[in-house]
Amino acid sequence: MNAILPADTCAATPPGMHPDEWAARVELAACYRVFSHLGWTEMIYNHITLRLPDSVAGDEKQFLINPFGLHYSEVTARNLVKINLQGEVLDASAHRVNPAGFVVHATLHGGIEGAHCVMHTHTTAGVAVACLKEGLQQTNFYSAQLHGMVAYHDFEGITIHAEEGPRVLQSIGRKPAVILRNHGLLAWGATLAQTFAILWTLQRACEIQLATFSMGGSQAAIPVPEAIAEKCTRDALQFNPHHGAGQDVFNALVRQVDRLDDSYKH
């Protein structure tokens, strides 16, 4: 689960900080800038979190989260906040943490083995599909690659109540692409890059569905047969650790961000 950005992406590790924590900070900060570059932002809201490796946290589950009040374009490796599953700040950060983000992310980091990264968005296409009774339909190239991978959780209001956590976990099971009904999209994975690949595919599936339905509604869409969708998901290698699990595409986006503004590294 260690960060796998190119060596020249990471600035020097600050004194007194474990190199693995700094690498995770740089990778996560880069991801916030990638989201900003893609337009996957919601003012100062939404979150991407990344668990710190055991070499840093030992037996305790600790993770990094964005400082509440900053836009994604302002997130840097240094101003990310380190917290535990109880929401306690562990790095003397002066920044606040948004409870609406902490509750769901802590639930997944603590309750799903292998959920080392969690991403949540409120994109227009994602929220629109989350508001449909039928949710995501198997009618396009991208949704066909997520056969059997999409979970749904019913809307219970703003996610600040810890008692919702067990119900979230029950809804998700082991499915890494999640549609929070009436709310938005969520993805989790073993690495940041894998999680990004899952969320990107889910986002594209929603965008294409939104465009398709605008031309004639759900009845006009051509359904993808179950057998074909199953085959597409087997053949889609972008989530597979043996085929990079999204690292190559994530690195390509980081290079684009670097050409515009590499201040996230500091």
Side-chain angles (χ1 to χ4, degrees), residues 3 5 7 10 23 36 44 63 68 77 91 101 110 113 137-138 168 172 194 206 233 246 261 265:
L5 286 175
C10 298
S36 180
I44 60 171
F63 60 97
F68 189 44
D91 57 2
E113 187 63 33
Q137 296 190 24
Q138 204 166 266
V168 172
I172 292 174
Q194 182 188 53
C206 291
T233 300
D261 178 13
K265 300 177 183 179

Side-chain angles (χ1 to χ4, degrees), residues 134-171:
E134 301 84 359
L136 184 66
Q137 296 190 24
Q138 204 166 266
T139 58
N140 67 64
F141 177 82
Y142 297 101
S143 61
Q145 296 177 57
L146 295 169
H147 183 271
M149 294 176 60
V150 181
Y152 292 85
H153 178 66
D154 288 340
F155 186 57
E156 297 189 28
I158 299 174
T159 52
I160 57 173
H161 303 290
E163 62 265 24
E164 186 178 354
R167 294 188 292 277
V168 172
L169 293 175
Q170 184 176 13
S171 296

Side-chain angles (χ1 to χ4, degrees), residues 2-263:
N2 291 338
I4 320 176
L5 286 175
D8 60 357
T9 299
C10 298
T13 303
M17 182 178 291
H18 195 291
D20 291 346
E21 177 176 342
W22 183 245
R25 284 177 172 271
V26 172
E27 182 181 44
L28 182 56
C31 190
Y32 274 101
R33 298 301 183 92
V34 166
F35 272 45
S36 180
H37 179 63
L38 293 172
W40 294 0
T41 58
E42 186 78 359
M43 302 295 286
I44 60 171
Y45 304 104
N46 295 166
H47 308 278
I48 314 163
T49 55
L50 183 64
R51 265 192 64 190
L52 289 168
D54 293 343
S55 58
V56 176
D59 294 332
E60 183 180 26
K61 290 184 177 179
Q62 302 174 356
F63 60 97
L64 300 170
I65 192 170
N66 52 316
F68 189 44
L70 298 187
H71 189 266
Y72 280 14
S73 62
E74 299 175 297
V75 172
T76 67
R78 194 179 292 273
N79 68 30
L80 286 162
V81 184
K82 179 166 66 171
I83 60 177
N84 59 20
L85 295 179
Q86 291 70 49
E88 298 168 333
V89 176
L90 305 175
D91 57 2
S93 174
H95 292 284
R96 295 179 297 150
V97 172
N98 184 2
F102 155 73
V103 170
V104 170
H105 287 248
T107 295
L108 269 65
H109 284 301
I112 300 179
E113 187 63 33
H116 294 294
C117 184
V118 181
M119 299 177 176
H120 174 49
T121 59
H122 285 179
T123 61
T124 299
V127 176
V129 171
C131 292
L132 291 174
K133 289 181 180 180
E134 301 84 359
L136 184 66
Q137 296 190 24
Q138 204 166 266
T139 58
N140 67 64
F141 177 82
Y142 297 101
S143 61
Q145 296 177 57
L146 295 169
H147 183 271
M149 294 176 60
V150 181
Y152 292 85
H153 178 66
D154 288 340
F155 186 57
E156 297 189 28
I158 299 174
T159 52
I160 57 173
H161 303 290
E163 62 265 24
E164 186 178 354
R167 294 188 292 277
V168 172
L169 293 175
Q170 184 176 13
S171 296
I172 292 174
R174 294 295 301 173
K175 295 181 178 180
V178 184
I179 294 179
L180 302 172
R181 293 192 184 277
N182 308 102
H183 187 169
L185 305 181
L186 184 146
W188 62 269
T191 66
L192 185 149
Q194 182 188 53
T195 309
F196 177 82
I198 294 166
L199 184 63
W200 183 86
T201 306
L202 181 60
Q203 170 66 21
R204 286 294 288 149
C206 291
E207 290 172 349
I208 300 302
Q209 178 167 312
L210 186 64
T212 303
F213 285 15
S214 72
M215 296 186 293
S218 60
Q219 300 304 313
I222 303 170
V224 176
E226 287 288 306
I228 298 297
E230 290 176 2
K231 181 176 182 292
C232 286
T233 300
R234 288 196 305 270
D235 292 346
L237 303 177
Q238 71 267 34
F239 314 132
N240 191 323
H242 299 296
H243 296 272
Q247 193 66 55
D248 50 357
V249 70
F250 180 71
N251 287 348
L253 287 166
V254 171
R255 290 194 296 272
Q256 291 186 45
V257 167
D258 281 348
R259 286 192 287 270
L260 299 171
D261 178 13
D262 67 354
S263 62

